[in-house]
Amino acid sequence: MSFNISFPDTTFENKQRSIEEFFEISLELRRDIIKSLFLAKSGHSGGSLGTADIFAVLFFGGFLNYDPKNWKNPNRDRFILSVGHIAPILYATLARAGFFHPSELATLRKLGSRLQGHPGLDANLPGIETSSGSLGQGVSIAVGMALSQKYLDKTDNFTFTMTGDGELEEGSVWEAAMAASNYKLSNFCWIVDNNDCQIDGRVTDVMNIYPLQEKFEAFGFDVVTIDGHNYSEIISAFTKFKNNSKNSEKPTCIIAKTYMGRGISFMEDKYSWHGVPPNEEQAIKALEELDKLDAELKKSNKLN
Amino acid sequence: MKYKSYGKIPTRKGFGEGLVELGEQNPNIVVLGGDITSSVLTSFFRDKFPDRFFSIGIAEQNATTIAVGLALSGKIPFFSSYSAFSAFRNADQLRISVAYNNANVKIGGGHSGVTVGPDGATHQSLEEVAFLRTLPNMTLIVPADYNETKKATIASGNMFGPTFIRFGRSAGESFTTPESEFIIGKANQLTDGNDVAIFACGTLVWEALLAAEELEKQKGIKARVINLHTIKPIDYEAIVNAAKECGAIVTAEEHQIHGGMGSAVAEVVVKNYPVPMEFIGIQDRFGLSGEPEELMQYFNLNHQTIFASALRAIERRDKGFDKIRKVIDFNK
Ligand SMILES: Cc1ncc(C[n+]2csc(CCOP(=O)(O)OP(=O)(O)O)c2C)c(N)n1
Ligand SMILES: [Mg+2]
């Protein structure tokens, strides 16, 4: 059996949306992840799928200020993917936001591609703010950008970053946390993809990082713990951050409880999917599952 | 050719198996995990000796210095991660706490070089030889294949002192045997010849053997291929003899040309017996995504390049430096 893979050129605007619309966008992002990773024959399915709902809200719900046509605009908000190996979700998101043509997703991880296995600034892909892939570094880069926005450029922009939860085992991550609250970076929003999975197993078993909420609070953050697949909770977390940034001097941390591989039955909550792509049979099955969810959504008549 | 390939086996498998053998021989062997135990195959040891395995998480700095604490308590700790993170993230720890203390810590640098493949530049460590060989007390080994990695792992556990073993992810040709000699610090001469010397390490040793075969077949040139598996301490005798007896040298490695094995050989050559040298390696740039085989060709890390470089080194020896080029551009 062989099947044709194509990437429709749908793009989505960045605006206030209904729950159903976010769900539809997240399905498209998940399809892109499955397709691009299948074609790449290597790469990280688990974390990419698990964070698709957060990416859908952050990039397409009016929370992140960007302009794909003029993406280097100095007055943009920044998003730094510290957990660089889940690049497939960032690439899918940027493509669907119009930073580059979605067909380029087919080149992921291939020789000469702008879609490097881990984001590479030298590959000149629009929307990529920094190289990342050595865990623990992106979050400090993000602190540097927030510092620049708040004290040097004196703009009203925000910096968002996403780290993994295994990534929190890197000590420098906590140096970043300390600096963010020391400098009262209320324009700084740190999302933790708390799937409790990393390469060797459950985060708890590899190196216990908990309790997280209390740790970030002790480091001087406003902390919200949410279900990272519940759009209402994601929306209210980002809304709270925006409010906090006006009323509080604290940086914000969103601990998003997620499932690795979310959306695909045979991948869900399995750490073995951290760093492998679907094979052909698995890709077909995964796309079928996503299509089924899509059909149910359309049948519910809640989309306009 | 005298050597044949016994098939493709990843060098990291030799590391994993070597650790298990060491563990059986010596109860002081301890292994620290950095969340990629099944990538660098310290998982073999973990499954066999769970009481002597400690998961440290994704924390290479901490793991390196915890290893120092264990070493200063009489244990023989091995810590391994991708070379990109077990040689660089912890560079300060390696310098001060490991090397300066002369602590008996063993570090494995897996997934080194461009043969990591599609993960791309961030994971393709191409600089660690340059850094590690400048550290006093450090022993640095870059084994050529699966069997040699296993032997290097066992030998490093049986010697005292900080040691770094650099190995890869992909399956490379396996051509040394369990019986062939491996002594830390002693280069292995694989072919006899006095026309040109080819020093290689890691994945490039097999390519050097292929190049030597072609040189003989096509040009009647007898090349001396030397597997320089230990970069520190370096085998002065093998290098000086090669310079004197061959008069032209090529070095080949899956690493930056600046500061790598070739530079180490050049330091010995220039001081003792200067002869023309050609350097094969990564030419001062970062890696990129692609399949391992594809990248080796893209970066000219192959027997064809070794072949051409050997001819050039011989030409420079025979015609004299000045006749070829006024200034020899190191990078071209
Ligand atoms: C400094 C560093 N050490 C090790 C690695 C190898 N590595 C890549 S992903 C990963 C696990 C990350 O776990 P987590 O942050 O929870 O991400 P998830 O598995 O949930 O996607 C590790 C150890 C790395 N990329 N960088
Ligand atoms: Mg995780």
Side-chain angles (χ1 to χ4, degrees):
Chain A
M1 184 177 191
S2 82
F3 73 122
N4 257 336
I5 294 221
S6 64
F7 293 87
D9 49 15
T10 328
T11 53
F12 302 107
E13 279 172 58
N14 186 16
K15 59 175 194 193
Q16 271 198 5
R17 289 173 185 278
S18 68
I19 305 291
E20 288 74 23
E21 285 177 306
F22 284 127
F23 187 41
E24 196 186 29
I25 292 172
S26 76
L27 289 175
E28 197 60 49
L29 297 176
R30 288 192 166 96
R31 281 194 195 97
D32 286 339
I33 291 165
I34 295 292
K35 289 188 265 188
S36 58
L37 282 167
F38 164 68
L39 292 173
K41 297 193 178 70
S42 70
H44 301 77
S45 308
S48 301
L49 290 163
T51 53
D53 301 311
I54 301 167
F55 274 83
V57 176
L58 180 59
F59 277 76
F60 304 107
F63 290 105
L64 188 79
N65 182 18
Y66 60 88
D67 175 9
K69 301 279 162 312
N70 175 27
W71 85 266
K72 286 193 171 165
N73 173 6
N75 288 327
R76 69 188 183 277
D77 293 342
R78 307 273 191 147
F79 175 76
I80 304 301
L81 186 68
S82 192
V83 56
H85 60 271
I86 65 168
I89 177 63
L90 179 59
Y91 295 151
T93 304
L94 293 174
R96 296 297 161 199
F99 284 84
F100 55 90
H101 198 274
S103 60
E104 204 170 336
L105 295 171
T107 68
L108 175 68
R109 293 181 153 244
K110 302 224 153 79
L111 188 61
S113 172
R114 297 197 292 178
L115 279 61
Q116 291 290 295
H118 294 77
L121 206 50
D122 65 345
N124 287 315
L125 186 71
I128 298 297
E129 300 277 8
T130 175
S131 307
S132 59
S134 176
L135 293 168
Q137 298 193 22
V139 57
S140 291
I141 292 173
V143 168
M145 289 172 172
L147 203 59
S148 183
Q149 285 169 337
K150 181 156 183 176
Y151 296 106
L152 304 171
D153 310 331
K154 299 193 178 15
T155 64
D156 294 330
N157 291 112
F158 302 99
T159 295
F160 295 81
T161 188
M162 181 185 282
T163 65
D165 48 6
E167 184 175 12
L168 300 182
E169 294 159 5
E170 285 288 356
S172 64
V173 154
W174 300 100
E175 298 173 19
M178 216 180 296
S181 70
N182 179 74
Y183 283 105
K184 304 185 167 52
L185 295 179
S186 51
N187 57 333
F188 180 68
C189 180
W190 178 338
I191 306 153
V192 177
D193 173 26
N194 189 194
N195 55 17
D196 202 45
C197 287
Q198 56 186 113
I199 296 178
D200 275 353
R202 293 275 162 205
V203 172
T204 331
D205 297 329
V206 176
M207 178 55 63
N208 186 13
I209 57 168
Y210 301 105
L212 271 191
Q213 165 113 12
E214 289 84 342
K215 270 200 183 93
F216 275 100
E217 276 167 0
F219 272 82
F221 279 69
D222 271 327
V223 190
V224 264
T225 298
I226 59 164
D227 171 349
H229 305 302
N230 180 316
Y231 300 111
S232 315
E233 291 191 23
I234 304 170
I235 293 165
S236 54
F238 286 135
T239 308
K240 185 159 183 272
F241 161 60
K242 291 288 176 82
N243 289 337
N244 279 356
S245 70
K246 293 191 204 96
N247 312 323
S248 146
E249 295 202 308
K250 292 181 172 183
T252 293
C253 175
I254 300 173
I255 299 169
K257 301 258 174 217
T258 62
Y259 291 112
M260 185 174 262
R262 173 73 169 190
I264 312 298
S265 61
F266 55 92
M267 297 188 185
E268 213 162 291
D269 203 24
K270 294 204 172 78
Y271 62 81
S272 54
W273 280 97
H274 156 88
V276 280
N279 63 24
E280 181 162 331
E281 190 189 325
Q282 292 163 332
I284 291 171
K285 185 143 186 282
L287 292 172
E288 278 169 7
E289 291 189 13
L290 294 171
D291 284 347
K292 201 166 149 231
L293 290 172
D294 208 358
E296 280 165 20
L297 176 68
K298 296 218 163 84
K299 226 167 74 189
S300 75
N301 251 338
K302 283 192 180 143
L303 279 171
N304 13 338
Chain B
M1 183 164 59
K2 193 165 111 190
Y3 294 89
K4 63 170 196 221
S5 169
Y6 299 97
K8 292 192 167 204
I9 313 177
T11 43
R12 57 192 167 127
K13 186 155 177 266
F15 181 72
E17 291 177 0
L19 282 181
V20 170
E21 262 194 56
L22 271 175
E24 280 159 356
Q25 292 159 12
N26 189 337
N28 280 328
I29 302 286
V30 176
V31 173
L32 303 180
D35 188 33
I36 42 172
T37 53
S38 44
S39 307
V40 292
L41 297 180
T42 43
S43 51
F44 296 167
F45 186 97
R46 178 198 59 200
D47 296 344
K48 189 108 199 245
F49 308 104
D51 296 345
R52 286 189 269 149
F53 177 88
F54 299 93
S55 171
I56 308 298
I58 314 170
E60 297 80 9
Q61 304 176 51
N62 197 30
T64 303
T65 25
I66 285 177
V68 173
L70 289 163
L72 297 181
S73 309
K75 309 301 175 294
I76 307 171
F78 278 76
F79 167 61
S80 179
S81 181
Y82 302 157
S83 217
F85 312 123
S86 65
F88 293 115
R89 183 54 148 269
N90 54 350
D92 185 13
Q93 283 79 1
L94 284 172
R95 176 173 171 266
I96 300 295
S97 295
V98 176
Y100 183 45
N101 274 331
N102 197 20
N104 197 18
V105 169
K106 318 293 173 181
I107 307 279
H111 289 48
S112 66
V114 294
T115 45
V116 179
D119 272 347
T122 54
H123 287 51
Q124 295 167 352
S125 61
L126 294 164
E127 302 82 10
E128 65 272 45
V129 170
F131 164 54
L132 293 160
R133 73 183 190 84
T134 62
L135 294 179
N137 296 328
M138 183 63 73
T139 293
L140 173 58
I141 309 173
V142 185
D145 69 356
Y146 155 74
N147 271 318
E148 195 165 274
T149 308
K150 189 166 171 178
K151 282 182 260 185
T153 305
I154 294 168
S156 78
N158 288 328
M159 63 161 264
F160 183 87
T163 309
F164 191 101
I165 306 173
R166 182 186 195 243
F167 51 94
R169 166 179 178 268
S170 315
E173 303 294 352
S174 195
F175 58 94
T176 69
T177 63
E179 294 76 40
S180 47
E181 182 182 83
F182 178 86
I183 298 169
I184 292 176
K186 187 168 179 297
N188 287 346
Q189 184 171 326
L190 300 181
T191 64
D192 296 332
N194 288 336
D195 295 335
V196 61
I198 306 170
F199 285 90
C201 62
T203 46
L204 270 295
V205 178
W206 177 252
E207 296 296 319
L209 287 169
L210 295 178
E213 195 184 13
E214 286 304 306
L215 283 165
E216 170 136 38
K217 239 197 252 166
Q218 291 182 33
K219 306 273 178 186
I221 291 170
K222 283 193 178 298
R224 178 184 301 187
V225 175
I226 295 151
N227 172 10
L228 197 63
H229 51 68
T230 308
I231 294 170
K232 191 178 190 190
I234 202 158
D235 189 341
Y236 272 73
E237 213 179 292
I239 297 169
V240 175
N241 286 344
K244 283 185 182 159
E245 290 159 19
C246 304
I249 292 176
V250 176
T251 63
E253 61 196 306
E254 193 186 338
H255 186 275
Q256 302 286 358
I257 47 168
H258 294 131
M261 178 271 284
S263 301
V265 171
E267 286 163 12
V268 178
V269 169
V270 169
K271 183 165 167 127
N272 292 282
Y273 197 89
V275 299
M277 283 186 70
E278 294 289 334
F279 303 88
I280 296 168
I282 301 289
Q283 311 279 341
D284 197 22
R285 58 156 295 173
F286 285 100
L288 77 183
S289 289
E291 291 307 315
E293 239 337 278
E294 209 174 35
L295 292 172
M296 290 298 273
Q297 303 308 325
Y298 181 87
F299 287 111
N300 294 318
L301 302 174
N302 52 28
H303 61 90
Q304 294 90 336
T305 311
I306 299 176
F307 181 94
S309 299
L311 295 184
R312 191 151 74 199
I314 291 170
E315 189 185 9
R316 287 173 54 204
R317 174 193 67 203
D318 294 346
K319 295 195 181 159
F321 284 78
D322 296 346
K323 305 270 174 2
I324 303 293
R325 273 169 294 184
K326 274 281 176 293
V327 177
I328 300 202
D329 182 346
F330 192 83
N331 286 315
K332 297 239 169 75

